[in-house]
Amino acid sequence: ALPILDLLKLSGFSRESLTANNAAIPIAYYLHQRDVSDAFLDSTSKAGERADIIRWLTRTLLKQGVWGSGPDTLLTRLRAAIDRELPNEGFPTAALDAEFAGLGKTLNFDDAEIDGLLELSYGARGTFATLAILYPGLDFAKEFHEDHIWPKSLFTRRRLEDAGVSTDQVEAYISRVNALPNLQLLE
């Protein structure tokens, strides 16, 4: 049996957080070509490989536009890269990244893109995946959801001023209540 769905689930991905289904195809192909069994999910010797797979998947999901155009060409190139790398051990992250780059779709993030991730808001596409990166130790065999660190109910003009926030800062606080820095994953 191919453990792709179990691997995604154990890593916290669901229908809602897997924002590009095509992103799972190279992973499924890789696992199939490696003929991995369900033991892959529990093997301590494969923990690093599982982490590499999930890091790669997460980067492709967070990077805007990499799955949006030309998916057939991209998937064909990714499959060929996996086939070339099969004799080597481990998930071929560098080879896959090179195929994205060859199509002008770098998986590297510049400062502006990182700032953009910090602007993600509650319930937005990519928020769950970004939080999953920030909370790598969570047991995603359990179900998690996005929640506020500081409750929304505290972000009213009166409560903020009573808490000592200066009047000229209140609007900034209120506008950021649903932003990524005030979000966490809770079971």
Side-chain angles (χ1 to χ4, degrees):
L2 193 62
I4 179 70
L5 295 177
D6 292 331
L7 175 62
L8 294 175
K9 183 177 178 184
L10 287 172
S11 301
F13 288 98
S14 65
R15 179 176 299 151
E16 293 78 27
S17 60
L18 186 65
T19 55
N21 292 336
N22 283 338
I25 293 172
I27 298 167
Y29 182 74
Y30 170 78
L31 295 173
H32 175 73
Q33 293 301 97
R34 284 278 191 212
D35 196 28
V36 301
S37 67
D38 288 338
F40 178 84
L41 299 171
D42 302 318
S43 170
T44 54
S45 67
K46 297 295 183 183
E49 188 172 2
R50 287 190 308 271
D52 289 343
I53 290 169
I54 296 305
R55 270 193 300 273
W56 179 83
L57 172 65
T58 303
R59 282 189 303 126
T60 70
L61 294 174
L62 292 178
K63 187 71 173 183
Q64 293 295 314
V66 297
W67 292 109
S69 63
D72 292 341
T73 300
L74 176 60
L75 290 170
T76 299
R77 289 178 69 152
L78 295 176
R79 184 181 63 221
I82 290 168
D83 289 342
R84 282 192 310 273
E85 296 293 321
L86 275 178
N88 301 322
E89 285 297 316
F91 189 70
T93 301
L96 297 178
D97 287 0
E99 293 303 328
F100 273 94
L103 293 172
K105 299 178 177 194
T106 179
L107 294 179
N108 296 324
F109 289 81
D110 61 28
D111 289 345
E113 289 169 311
I114 292 170
D115 288 343
L117 291 174
L118 292 174
E119 295 298 321
L120 288 171
S121 63
Y122 183 83
R125 178 184 174 128
T127 301
F128 185 93
T130 304
L131 289 169
I133 292 171
L134 296 173
Y135 293 92
L138 295 178
D139 178 5
F140 285 109
K142 300 172 181 140
E143 187 174 337
F144 285 86
H145 66 276
E146 298 169 26
D147 201 352
H148 293 84
I149 296 170
W150 293 96
K152 285 175 58 172
S153 62
L154 297 179
F155 286 76
T156 64
R157 176 169 293 284
R158 181 181 171 128
R159 286 191 164 181
L160 290 169
E161 288 174 350
D162 288 350
V165 175
S166 65
T167 305
D168 60 328
Q169 293 273 322
V170 168
E171 288 304 318
Y173 276 64
I174 291 171
S175 70
R176 306 271 306 144
V177 67
N178 286 321
L180 188 79
N182 189 39
L183 299 176
Q184 63 183 333
L185 293 178
L186 288 181
E187 189 178 334

